[in-house]
Structure formats: C-alpha cells, structure tokens
Amino acid sequence: MNKKIQTPAVKDLFKGILALKDEQECFDFFEDLCTINEILSMSQRFEVAFMLKQGKTYLEISEETGASTATISRVSRSLNYGADGYDLVFDRIGKDMEKA
C-alpha cells in the first residue's frame, strides 16, 4: 500500500468498511459517504479492470462502459504496476461478478 494513504483516518475508514456485513449495508454506507458520481466512477473503474483482465480492447471497454481512454489507461496501469488489489478481489469474487 502506498505509504501516503496509511494515515489513522484512512485506517479507520477501512476498518469501517470491513465491518459492513452485507451488500445492503454497503449501499447504505457508501451512499452516506460518497456522492452518486463518486460511487459510479469507482464502479466504472472496477468494471474496466475486470474487462481488461478478460482481454477486451480499449474500444470495446469504452463502448460498453462509457469510460474514457484516459480512465482505461489509468486502470490498466494499476493492473500492471499497482498493489495487485484488483487481482486479489477478482480472485475472490470473479465468478460472482454481475456483468461479464
């Protein structure tokens, strides 16, 4: 994890997220925490990462998600050079993804 985000406040936020018990609690918490656009942006990046892992092209991803090529490129960089967080989650829930 990037040392710059390892603050007590961020750690407390993550503890709060880990305390959520189900999808409805996640909806309720994130609706209070984030704007609708922030939630939609995060979910778009997550979907882009999943599609990149499936080998889809930037054009296919852009057409299906509406993501810009800059967003797709940023997500691709995270997949290639990041902390492997996407891979961890996809390994755990991959077959449970709603959109494929």
Side-chain angles (χ1 to χ4, degrees), residues 1 5 19 22 26 33 36 41 48 53-54 60-61 66 69-72 75 86 90 95 97:
M1 178 192 296
I5 67 167
D22 58 32
C26 286
L33 178 68
I36 292 171
S41 292
V48 165
K53 294 295 284 181
Q54 291 177 314
E60 290 172 318
I61 295 168
T69 55
T71 295
I72 299 167
V75 172
Y86 283 118
F90 294 147
K95 64 183 175 190
M97 293 284 289

Side-chain angles (χ1 to χ4, degrees), residues 33-77:
L33 178 68
C34 303
T35 66
I36 292 171
N37 284 337
E38 288 170 334
I39 295 168
L40 294 175
S41 292
M42 287 187 287
S43 66
Q44 183 186 61
R45 288 192 297 272
F46 192 69
E47 184 178 17
V48 165
F50 188 70
M51 294 172 79
L52 284 167
K53 294 295 284 181
Q54 291 177 314
K56 296 200 176 186
T57 67
Y58 278 33
L59 181 60
E60 290 172 318
I61 295 168
S62 181
E63 287 176 350
E64 284 188 48
T65 66
S68 68
T69 55
T71 295
I72 299 167
S73 178
R74 188 176 322 115
V75 172
S76 178
R77 201 167 30 256

Side-chain angles (χ1 to χ4, degrees), residues 20-36:
L20 300 171
K21 293 183 175 132
D22 58 32
E23 190 175 90
Q24 187 58 53
E25 287 185 3
C26 286
F27 275 108
D28 294 343
F29 179 73
F30 279 93
E31 186 176 339
D32 287 347
L33 178 68
C34 303
T35 66
I36 292 171

